[in-house]
Amino acid sequence: MMTIHTRPLGSPDTAATAAAIHRNALGSAQQRLWQAAIGTMAPDAQTKLPQNPDMEKLDLDALLELAGQATQPRPMAAMLHSPEFRDIDLRSLEASQPEAVGTITLDPARLGANARHAPALERAAERTGIPATALAAIVNAEAAKDSTGQWNTYSRNSRSSAAGLGQFLSRTWEGMAETRGTWLNQTAQAKGWLDRSGQVRPAARADLLQLRYNAAASIETTADYAQANLKLLKRSGVATGEDPSAVARTAYLAHHLGPGDAIKYLKTGLSDERAGLLLRAQIGGGRASQAIARTGDASAAHRAWLDNYVGSRVRPERFA
């Protein structure tokens, strides 16, 4: 016979439950605000797309890399110097000053098994202006976890080159090392891993990529990548939001899609062909076909699923 245990009202457990319910409700409201702020609210806000249980975590690059269609075709350094951003003052991050976003404060206790990463998150936040809670949310959505919820610093995707807490692909990590002003660039310079032109030396590539498994390095680079992506989006006329929740979700969207596709996604929308490819990679061909049939086109189906996913999974308020 099942025994039902009851607790008196006002007990610590009841208070904790109430707080959890409040955070959940707040997160749902902030998801809607985020979608409205960046102009991606689905026509039917109640649309719920089925998810493949094997696709619990966003892992698009792992799947598309197999087909040679990964979502980050160019390193960040190339993006910063590309023709479409020629008139944008992003040639270097060296002179950039951190842009403070919101006043929400990281509570190490909320990190649970990952409390030891609080100092690294706060250092990266102070340096880049990306809220520590936002960084925690991005890492929490990217890194593999053990049964206690502890982030696995040695996270590695067997189907792609993605590795570390930030799940950086090899070419993206190298691009960040070659982007002036980033933490990784300064570290690579100090270690002699770059040649005179600022490119990664072939002999140093293995050591550089191994650094992805260093938690502090991964967190610092996640912050730099978020800062650079948000700058690209803003200078391209994309609304990124102002509060930590909106910033985290927009930054994660760019982290996942890559800045090029993120700009298209948020400004004009992805083509049906591209959106269909991404949706099939995430929820499987059968489910994607059903979702596309319900919404009428692949772009709308993919948008409804991705906005829902990012809004529900990337929750900085959980760490505040």
Side-chain angles (χ1 to χ4, degrees):
M1 178 181 295
M2 179 181 294
T3 301
I4 300 177
H5 298 279
T6 61
R7 297 187 180 92
L9 290 177
S11 69
D13 287 333
T14 301
T17 299
I21 293 173
H22 173 73
R23 286 196 301 274
N24 186 62
L26 178 62
S28 297
Q30 288 179 327
Q31 176 186 349
R32 294 294 186 85
L33 289 173
W34 168 66
Q35 291 174 323
I38 62 177
T40 63
M41 181 70 78
D44 177 6
Q46 300 302 317
T47 299
K48 299 292 183 182
L49 299 183
Q51 295 187 26
N52 185 334
D54 295 329
M55 295 294 180
E56 179 68 10
K57 189 173 87 67
L58 281 176
D59 191 18
L60 189 57
D61 281 310
L63 297 168
L64 297 188
E65 198 168 57
L66 294 175
Q69 302 181 67
T71 60
Q72 297 176 17
R74 291 177 293 176
M76 176 56 67
M79 286 292 291
L80 294 174
H81 296 278
S82 59
E84 59 263 46
F85 300 114
R86 183 171 296 154
D87 297 326
I88 298 174
D89 187 18
L90 284 173
R91 291 167 294 177
S92 169
L93 296 179
E94 289 177 319
S96 299
Q97 294 298 319
E99 294 183 23
V101 182
T103 58
I104 191 169
T105 302
L106 177 72
D107 181 356
R110 293 287 183 193
L111 288 170
N114 300 298
R116 66 190 179 94
H117 297 297
L121 291 165
E122 290 170 340
R123 284 195 301 271
E126 183 177 359
R127 184 176 59 81
T128 64
I130 304 297
T133 52
L135 294 176
I138 293 171
V139 171
N140 192 59
E142 283 290 309
K145 306 175 188 66
D146 63 18
S147 59
T148 68
Q150 182 172 320
W151 301 332
N152 180 6
T153 56
Y154 293 96
S155 297
R156 179 64 192 265
N157 193 295
S158 61
R159 296 170 297 175
S160 79
S161 62
L165 293 185
Q167 287 294 283
F168 281 95
L169 296 176
S170 297
R171 67 183 177 280
T172 306
W173 188 260
E174 290 181 54
M176 292 305 291
E178 294 170 349
T179 300
R180 290 174 296 166
T182 64
W183 182 94
L184 193 56
N185 175 260
Q186 293 170 353
T187 299
Q189 286 185 17
K191 291 182 176 293
W193 290 347
L194 305 178
D195 60 24
R196 291 184 178 180
S197 64
Q199 304 298 301
V200 176
R201 297 179 184 276
R205 187 171 183 270
D207 288 335
L208 174 67
L209 294 179
Q210 184 67 22
L211 197 58
R212 289 179 296 176
Y213 300 114
N214 178 289
S218 191
I219 289 170
E220 292 282 4
T221 303
T222 295
D224 276 325
Y225 194 51
Q227 183 192 44
N229 282 338
L230 290 172
K231 284 181 180 292
L232 285 174
L233 266 59
K234 286 181 179 179
R235 301 297 176 87
S236 297
V238 174
T240 60
E242 297 299 331
D243 66 279
S245 291
V247 168
R249 288 163 182 169
T250 306
Y252 184 74
L253 190 68
H255 191 111
H256 167 62
L257 289 174
D261 268 352
I263 289 170
K264 293 176 184 176
Y265 180 88
L266 295 170
K267 288 189 73 172
T268 60
L270 297 175
S271 67
D272 271 0
E273 180 181 5
R274 181 66 168 166
L277 173 67
L278 304 186
L279 188 61
R280 286 192 295 273
Q282 286 299 335
I283 66 176
R287 290 181 173 85
S289 295
Q290 294 173 7
I292 292 170
R294 282 196 300 274
T295 58
D297 64 81
S299 181
H302 174 253
R303 181 177 297 280
W305 179 82
L306 185 54
D307 281 359
N308 228 8
Y309 191 102
V310 176
S312 61
R313 299 301 179 92
V314 184
R315 303 277 296 277
E317 63 273 9
R318 291 178 177 175
F319 306 105

